[in-house]
């Protein structure tokens, strides 16, 4: 189609914004909205998920696509004229990570709103990626949870005995202060159209049980722009503060790893760790944030003396429990395994699915369970975690057999008969994924840990 801008053209435009921001790190950018046009919105549409939950207008992606060009032109006109009205998000609840009994609220924007949020986020990312530090990994292009985990592993391995400060921010996404956010945005982006749009999203309101409320704090949860806003906020609250204010005053080495609002600070010196822990509440309180008094804790992460070299203390980060273990050659190494709460949540979800869907055809159940297990392996299949994966595989088989056995009074499925089912429909065995590192120049050799938990050849 004539006039259609290719994705690479949009990439070139975003790179121009990035180069400008990089050349002038202290410059306040006042003219950015003109980069967002129909072509940019079309690319934002391409990058937006088409199968997400529906917003308050109940419009699907397929319905929006029927008149895509006219819809995008209208959206662009309303955005540039300042007449676009940000619709309220529809609030839904999902099980809270680590505590399935509790529910976590998320917001569902309309499909059109997702497109505009995506376009604005693309522009903001081009600017702020030049400012963000290497210590942050959450919701950034080319960065992932596994890269954060590997960077943490590398730092712990190099530092050996150390002190780990786990940080847990209480209700971060609900307590982020709008006034402070505006002040932080003022330091880099003052484009009137984009800033007014962000304000509209902050004030859009939440629809729940037919009633609209207008929170004075927090980010538009579920919105595409929310991770960007959160990173801008925490970049100032902790990343810059730790790198440029705290570290120069420390006696010994320290480093930070942050993924979204999950963060750990690692110190070589106990004295340094306790000094930082003492000032953290005041630092976060300055930005309206509160540290969870029980989940924010200081852990001595060190090897035990003796031939085994393991350590008693552990800590969790991004679903993995970190601890000191021993290789087959007797060397002390940092090992990661699936955190207990994540493991329990996963097997409970599989068992409940088997119960609810036990009357489906066996092939349909098998195909669904394969997807669930492979999804779990793809995330938790890291070096040292084979035993936890194998345990999950075993329990998944037991859960499947249990509910197949109960789906009919006339056709039982004892374990011996279930073995025949597994011959035709074998659930995927655990595997370890070798993932590339973000920066090959800083790559360190990670020992492979086999099924016994000791160092050996990669599994799978």
């Amino acid at each position: 189609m004539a006039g259609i801008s290719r994705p690479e053209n949009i990439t070139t435009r975003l790179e121009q914004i990035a180069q400008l921001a990089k050349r002038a790190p202290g410059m306040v950018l006042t003219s950015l909205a003109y980069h967002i046009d129909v072509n940019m919105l079309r690319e934002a549409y391409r990058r937006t998920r088409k199968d997400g939950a529906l917003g308050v207008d109940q419009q699907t992606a397929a319905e929006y696509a029927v008149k895509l060009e006219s819809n995008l032109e209208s959206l662009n006109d309303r955005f540039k004229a300042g007449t676009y009205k940000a619709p309220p998000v529809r609030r839904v609840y999902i099980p809270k990570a680590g505590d399935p009994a509790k529910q976590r609220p998320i917001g569902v924007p309309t499909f059109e709103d997702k497109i505009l949020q995506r376009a604005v986020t693309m522009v903001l990312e081009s600017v702020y990626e030049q400012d963000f530090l290497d210590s942050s990994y959450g919701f950034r292009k080319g960065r992932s949870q596994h890269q954060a985990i590997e960077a943490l592993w590398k730092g712990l391995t190099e530092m050996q005995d150390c002190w780990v400060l786990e940080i847990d921010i209480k209700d971060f996404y609900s307590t982020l202060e709008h006034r402070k956010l505006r002040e932080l945005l003022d330091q880099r982006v003052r484009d009137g159209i984009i800033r007014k749009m962000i304000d509209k999203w902050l004030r859009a309101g939440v629809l729940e049980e037919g009633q609209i409320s207008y929170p004075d704090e927090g980010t538009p949860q579920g919105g595409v722009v929310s991770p960007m806003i959160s990173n801008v906020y925490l970049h100032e609250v902790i990343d810059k503060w730790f790198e440029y204010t705290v570290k120069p005053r420390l006696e010994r080495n320290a480093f930070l790893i942050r993924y979204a609002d999950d963060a750990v600070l690692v110190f070589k010196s106990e004295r340094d760790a306790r000094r930082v822990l003492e000032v953290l509440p005041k630092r976060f309180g300055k930005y309206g944030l509160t540290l969870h008094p029980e989940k924010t804790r200081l852990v001595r992460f060190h090897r035990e003396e003796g031939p085994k070299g393991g350590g008693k203390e552990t800590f969790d980060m991004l679903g993995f429990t970190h601890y000191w273990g021993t290789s087959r050659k007797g060397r002390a190494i940092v090992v990661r395994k699936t955190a207990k709460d994540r493991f329990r949540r996963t097997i409970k979800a599989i068992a409940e699915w088997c119960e609810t869907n036990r009357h489906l055809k066996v092939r349909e159940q098998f195909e669904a369970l394969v997807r669930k297990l492979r999804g779990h392996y793809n995330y938790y299949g890291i070096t040292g975690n084979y035993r936890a994966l194998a345990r999950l595989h075993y329990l998944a088989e037991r859960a499947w057999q249990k509910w197949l056995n109960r789906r009919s009074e006339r056709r039982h499925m004892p374990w011996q008969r279930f073995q025949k089912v597994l011959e035709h429909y074998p659930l995927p065995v655990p595997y370890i994924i070798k993932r590339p590192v973000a920066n090959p120049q800083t790559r360190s050799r990670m020992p492979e840990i086999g099924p016994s938990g000791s160092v050996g050849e990669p599994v799978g």
Side-chain angles (χ1 to χ4, degrees):
M1 183 182 299
I4 297 293
S5 178
R6 296 181 179 180
E8 55 264 30
N9 295 334
I10 300 301
T11 301
T12 300
R13 192 187 308 178
L14 295 174
E15 181 61 26
Q16 291 173 349
I17 300 173
Q19 289 301 321
L20 173 62
K22 186 175 183 178
R23 288 196 303 268
M27 178 186 292
V28 177
L29 304 176
T30 59
S31 183
L32 291 171
Y34 76 91
H35 290 286
I36 300 177
D37 56 13
V38 174
N39 289 330
M40 180 79 75
L41 292 172
R42 191 181 297 110
E43 175 62 12
Y45 165 81
R46 189 185 70 84
R47 298 187 187 186
T48 301
R49 283 185 56 184
K50 311 300 188 294
D51 59 348
L54 303 183
V56 294
D57 63 356
Q58 294 296 299
Q59 185 180 45
T60 66
E63 291 170 344
Y64 193 85
V66 172
K67 297 182 178 180
L68 179 60
E69 291 306 310
S70 61
N71 285 335
L72 294 180
E73 289 174 2
S74 172
L75 177 59
N76 184 58
D77 291 342
R78 284 175 284 144
F79 168 65
K80 294 293 180 59
T83 58
Y84 178 83
K85 295 182 179 179
V89 297
R90 183 172 64 88
R91 175 168 287 174
V92 297
Y93 290 86
I94 62 175
K96 189 174 182 180
D99 192 352
K102 295 183 179 180
Q103 299 288 302
R104 181 170 69 90
I106 63 170
V108 181
T110 65
F111 183 73
E112 182 176 68
D113 206 45
K114 292 177 184 177
I115 295 174
L116 185 54
Q117 288 194 36
R118 174 71 64 188
V120 170
T121 299
M122 288 160 60
V123 172
L124 293 178
E125 282 178 344
S126 298
V127 175
Y128 282 102
E129 273 300 315
Q130 317 314 311
D131 300 342
F132 291 158
L133 303 179
D134 287 342
S135 55
S136 70
Y137 290 83
F139 306 107
R140 295 179 59 189
K141 186 176 181 180
R143 288 175 164 247
S144 68
Q145 291 168 303
H146 290 107
Q147 289 175 353
I149 291 296
E150 183 172 347
L152 177 59
W153 177 90
K154 182 175 182 293
L156 293 170
T157 301
E158 291 178 349
M159 193 169 286
Q160 299 290 305
D161 294 350
C162 56
W163 292 78
V164 177
L165 178 54
E166 292 184 80
I167 294 179
D168 187 281
I169 307 173
K170 191 173 182 180
D171 298 325
F172 168 71
Y173 293 102
S174 300
T175 57
L176 179 151
E177 285 191 359
H178 294 175
R179 179 180 61 83
K180 282 291 185 181
L181 173 62
R182 294 186 183 99
E183 292 177 0
L184 297 181
L185 290 172
D186 280 343
Q187 298 174 14
R188 196 63 159 133
V189 175
R190 293 185 193 171
D191 179 281
I193 297 176
I194 288 180
R195 292 295 302 276
K196 287 179 181 178
M197 196 62 251
I198 293 176
D199 280 342
K200 288 181 180 181
W201 283 320
L202 293 174
R203 300 194 304 262
V206 177
L207 177 65
E208 183 176 10
E209 297 182 351
Q211 300 293 323
I212 298 180
S213 60
Y214 298 93
D216 295 327
E217 299 175 333
T219 67
Q221 287 194 48
V224 178
V225 77
S226 183
M228 183 73 246
I229 290 175
S230 303
N231 268 338
V232 170
Y233 207 79
L234 290 175
H235 170 70
E236 181 70 27
V237 175
I238 185 168
D239 299 355
K240 282 178 58 180
W241 173 73
F242 184 74
E243 183 67 25
Y244 301 120
T245 302
V246 174
K247 286 177 67 174
R249 292 172 169 79
L250 299 180
E251 297 174 349
R252 305 188 69 181
N253 293 340
F255 68 91
L256 160 70
I257 299 292
R258 180 177 68 81
Y259 189 95
D261 62 329
D262 289 331
V264 293
L265 303 175
V266 182
F267 302 86
K268 186 64 176 177
S269 162
E270 178 185 3
R271 172 180 164 84
D272 288 337
R274 294 195 179 280
R275 287 168 59 200
V276 173
L277 176 59
E278 184 178 349
V279 300
L280 269 181
K282 183 178 180 180
R283 174 65 185 179
F284 279 75
K286 179 180 177 181
Y287 293 87
L289 303 177
T290 304
L291 293 177
H292 196 292
E294 297 176 358
K295 297 180 180 180
T296 298
R297 66 191 191 106
L298 183 62
V299 175
R300 186 185 179 189
F301 193 72
H302 69 112
R303 302 169 298 171
E304 295 287 350
E305 296 296 332
K308 292 187 177 181
K312 297 179 180 179
E313 292 290 349
T314 68
F315 72 93
D316 292 350
M317 177 69 172
L318 296 176
F320 291 95
T321 296
H322 296 68
Y323 63 99
W324 278 102
T326 311
S327 71
R328 283 178 178 170
K329 295 183 178 179
R331 292 188 298 107
I333 57 173
V334 177
V335 187
R336 292 77 52 87
K337 66 179 180 180
T338 309
K340 291 182 179 179
D341 58 340
R342 300 295 181 92
F343 187 91
R344 287 194 297 264
R345 185 177 66 185
T346 299
I347 194 60
K348 180 181 178 181
I350 289 176
E352 290 177 347
W353 187 93
C354 290
E355 177 184 7
T356 303
N357 297 277
R358 63 185 183 275
H359 296 298
L360 294 177
K361 293 180 180 179
V362 172
R363 170 170 284 280
E364 293 178 359
Q365 295 184 46
F366 164 72
E367 291 172 348
L369 288 172
V370 167
R371 290 192 296 270
K372 293 178 185 296
L373 287 175
R374 284 180 176 166
H376 186 89
Y377 299 161
N378 286 341
Y379 182 76
Y380 289 100
I382 69 171
T383 301
N385 198 33
Y386 186 88
R387 281 190 289 183
L389 302 184
R391 176 67 176 167
L392 180 74
H393 178 268
Y394 169 76
L395 292 176
E397 286 186 341
R398 301 297 299 192
W400 194 19
Q401 181 268 333
K402 172 183 176 180
W403 291 109
L404 284 178
N405 188 44
R406 296 187 182 187
R407 70 174 180 169
S408 172
E409 295 181 359
R410 294 177 297 175
R411 299 185 63 188
H412 292 289
M413 185 66 69
W415 185 253
Q416 294 78 5
R417 184 181 173 190
F418 180 65
Q419 295 302 306
K420 298 292 185 180
V421 173
L422 289 179
E423 291 179 6
H424 293 283
Y425 302 107
L427 295 181
V429 296
Y431 50 81
I432 301 299
I433 294 179
K434 292 289 290 182
R435 295 181 173 87
V437 294
N439 184 358
Q441 294 180 347
T442 60
R443 182 169 186 166
S444 59
R445 184 177 180 274
M446 296 179 64
E448 292 295 339
I449 298 185
S452 66
S454 56
V455 175
E457 293 303 315
V459 178

